[in-house]
Amino acid sequence: TAQWSNASYVQAAVAITNRTAMQMRDAELCLCPAGDTSSSRRLYDALAAGCVPVIIVRAGGNFFNHVASPSNVSNNAALWLHAQRYLPFPDVIDWPSIAFFWVDTGAADGMTGFLSEISSPAMDASRQMMRAAGRQAFNRHLDTEFSSRDVISSLLANEAVQMARPEERRQTATASSTS
């Protein structure tokens, strides 16, 4: 258990937190494995730090396996649908424009190759645009500390788009009930 009454423990914890925040601000890419959900705190921390999130999608999930099948849609389309279903405000935040998605199949060499590809000099301009767009999306839609009205507006705007597409809502509800 945490030793919050121990001053040296608290000082060390604060130092680790500050060092982590500095490293994230200096990084261009931040790995964001899912916690209980795909939109874990790591995702928000990465965007707040101006880092491009690399969202790690578990390939073993029922939703992903069902959607990303050869008889259904490609991996890219499945990742977009994953963002639509599991990330906040998918109708006001264009997640593929601010984050990379990597499907975790359990093969570490696959991740190494993917990270090498997206961190290559050929991707510099794309990463810089994604960093700027991600920071803007965070400030406009997700920052509850400094722009809580914008968060509420984003929620309402997202719901308005959802309500305008009743057929899609029925399909999503049906898919959720069968998962």
Side-chain angles (χ1 to χ4, degrees):
T1 64
Q3 303 170 14
W4 298 115
S5 59
N6 179 334
S8 62
Y9 177 84
V10 171
Q11 188 175 19
V14 168
I16 290 169
T17 301
N18 289 338
R19 188 170 51 249
T20 301
M22 286 175 48
Q23 289 171 338
M24 288 182 79
R25 282 193 304 268
D26 292 341
E28 285 191 350
L29 301 170
C30 293
L31 297 179
C32 297
D36 292 334
T37 67
S38 293
S39 60
S40 71
R41 178 179 170 176
R42 290 176 284 275
L43 174 62
Y44 301 110
D45 289 346
L47 290 169
C51 185
V52 178
V54 178
I55 299 171
I56 301 172
V57 178
R58 289 186 211 125
N62 287 336
F63 173 76
F64 190 82
N65 284 345
H66 167 71
V67 172
S69 68
S71 62
N72 206 342
V73 296
S74 70
N75 254 11
N76 286 342
L79 291 171
W80 182 83
L81 290 168
H82 176 86
Q84 284 291 110
R85 183 166 182 182
Y86 293 112
L87 296 177
F89 311 137
D91 291 305
V92 293
I93 298 175
D94 179 17
W95 287 101
S97 74
I98 64 172
F100 289 108
F101 293 84
W102 183 72
V103 180
D104 181 8
T105 59
D109 58 336
M111 177 177 250
T112 303
F114 179 73
L115 292 173
S116 294
E117 179 184 331
I118 64 175
S119 62
S120 72
M123 294 288 292
D124 284 350
S126 294
R127 282 193 313 278
Q128 292 310 313
M129 288 181 359
M130 292 172 83
R131 286 180 84 172
R135 184 78 170 145
Q136 183 180 15
F138 178 82
N139 289 337
R140 185 164 182 211
H141 303 293
L142 301 169
D143 186 353
T144 59
E145 185 174 353
F146 295 111
S147 60
S148 57
R149 283 185 178 195
D150 290 339
V151 174
I152 293 167
S153 295
S154 297
L155 175 65
L156 293 173
N158 196 78
E159 287 304 307
V161 171
Q162 292 291 322
M163 291 177 73
R165 295 189 300 221
E167 180 59 33
E168 185 175 306
R169 281 198 353 254
R170 277 196 296 276
Q171 289 172 352
T172 302
T174 304
S176 294
S177 65
T178 60
S179 313

